[in-house]
Amino acid sequence: MRDFAGVLSSNPPRRRSQMKLATFLSLLILLPVLACRKENQSASIKLDQVGYPTDAVKIALVSAPAQTFQVKRRTDNVVMLEGNLSARVTDANSGDQVQVADFSALRTSGTYYLEVPGVGRSWTFSVGPEIFSRVYYLAMRAFYGQRCGTAVNLGPEFPEYTHAPCHLEGSFHPSSGKRGRRDNVGGWHDAGDYGRYMVNSGIATGTLLWAFEMFGSKLKNIKLNIPESGNGTPDLLNEVRWNLKWMLDMQDDDGGAWHKQTSEHFCNFVMPEDDHLPSEVIGTGKPPYKSTCATADLAAVAAIAARVYQPFDKDFAARNLRAARAAWAWTERYPDVTFRNPPGIFTGEYGDSDCADERLWAAAELWRTTGEAQYNRYFVDHYAKYQPTLGALDAESWRGVAPMGLWAYALAARPDADSRALADVRVAALAAAQQTVERTRRNPYRVSLGAEDFRWGSNGLAANYGMQLLVANALAPDPACLRTALDNLHYLLGRNTFSISWLTHVGEHPFRRPHHRPSGADHNPEPWPGLLSGGPNAGRQDPVLRLLPADLPPAKVYSDDQRSYASNEVCINWQAMLVFLLAGVMK
Ligand SMILES: [Zn+2]
């Protein structure tokens, strides 16, 4: 409360009309917080509302002046630990002055809260050996909630969270080069809307498959309570298959993949089964109609799937490898067919003017899977141009997947690797991670985000940095990388300027109004569970953010408002990054 008031009072008078509206919006945002703050929790105390692994560094931040803190046990208020706060440090990205409460010495499992004399008490948190498995369960199960083409029911845990089968009929839009029905059912709704987009599916699905490939021993026995649970295949792979099958169905007979399947414009905030706009396969509008970015992403993802599904379903693995090869061959014929929304199409474009990084990723994954010289040669001939994408202030995204290709080559650990390429990639990946570790250590909020990172999907970027650190840790184990990855998770789960957990239903003070059609259209008072918000975005590309005070520091440009699609939308790509981060830091 105090922080927010401070921000509003710093507005110049000429913005008074906007300020009034901003004040009104702020009150709307704060009402539910005030209503549930029965025990005087202070948003000036910021910590991970899930908690801290027993053996980890445990740090909370206090943004109001104080001297000391106590950690108290939730059940009986017994003081477990006392300490002094550090000196105040200004965080330039939020404008907050923060002090550190270090309670790393607390190593007894339990549920606790911080008491800061003169400030108040914190949200509760846990200390224990396996505190993130429930968060992983909710975050991964959120993909089940995004399933298109089937009924979804989150079960007795979340009894009213259901939707009927949706988008069962499809057709070819004229831009696809074909006409008539195309009932390719399946996939995940991409974000707050009901579209399905190949390039965003590419990085999301690839990231989840990597999570299994790298951390499968921790994940394979976690049951997600989805319809396929118990079929002998780990549930992460069961869930990913739902989307993968749709991606495979987006491949044309010539090997190319259409860019997306959506309606012509976004529907209103209705449940998915009530969206009756035709679901159309959309192409580039002229031969060859498919796009290189979508096709190369399919090649990369299907090549990973060919490896990962091999122990569980050889036929499906083989189908994926055939698809990956055909897709690669198509991109050799058409290396730079880019996509723009054709006339009359107003859904997400996921436009990308350069598909060579997607091809680099595809070549690396196909080589990693098959060991064939043609893919290795392509990678070795092209990787050098993309080395800078492993810089410290860069990370992979749906548009820029070169880091995935470079990391895939280094992680493959194949004996036929080109030694110079391998060394180059390893050196760059490890150097970038070290710089991220240092930058995060200096950041008062202990998050890897730099000032320019508070843009669309900044929370996903925080998780991306976690991925960068976890990949480096896989190449050369380093406790500092793991610790810093965990710092980014702490940021997402409450140790941020808003003292808010950016995962629905997680922590005592989660965000509650995602830009997510089922959450807005159903009759549940709370949103669908396990969804990650996009996060602060100084780009302000929506009307809600534009009404916030003009001089807000970048980390503060956020509104827990359903209408703020630029700061509060959910999306499968950053959801996948979060799952990867959780999988990496879980025990
Ligand atoms: Zn649907």
Side-chain angles (χ1 to χ4, degrees), residues 90-96 443-445 447-454 497 552-557:
T90 300
D91 173 56
N93 294 332
S94 64
D96 293 345
N443 182 296
Y445 269 97
V447 65
S448 300
L449 298 171
E452 65 285 2
D453 288 334
F454 291 96
T497 184
L552 271 187
K556 295 263 195 198
V557 185

Side-chain angles (χ1 to χ4, degrees), residues 146-150 163-168 186-189 194 196 272-273 275:
Q146 295 292 98
R147 280 194 194 188
C148 185
T150 186
H163 77 69
C166 57
H167 307 110
L168 295 175
W188 294 315
H189 299 141
Y194 297 134
R196 289 164 283 169
E273 64 270 32
D275 171 23

Side-chain angles (χ1 to χ4, degrees), residues 279-291:
S279 173
E280 299 177 84
V281 172
I282 294 164
T284 60
K286 58 177 190 269
Y289 300 105
K290 281 76 65 176
S291 78

Side-chain angles (χ1 to χ4, degrees), residues 4 54 195 198 265 286 347 351-352 362 365 373 507 523 548:
F4 224 99
T54 311
M198 284 294 279
H265 56 85
K286 58 177 190 269
T347 49
D352 185 347
E365 298 288 8
H523 299 297
L548 292 176

Side-chain angles (χ1 to χ4, degrees), residues 485-505:
L486 192 52
D487 278 332
N488 284 295
L489 183 61
H490 291 328
Y491 170 83
L492 296 174
L493 297 179
R495 200 172 69 188
N496 54 61
T497 184
F498 297 98
S499 194
I500 201 169
S501 163
W502 270 308
L503 208 59
T504 52
H505 293 256

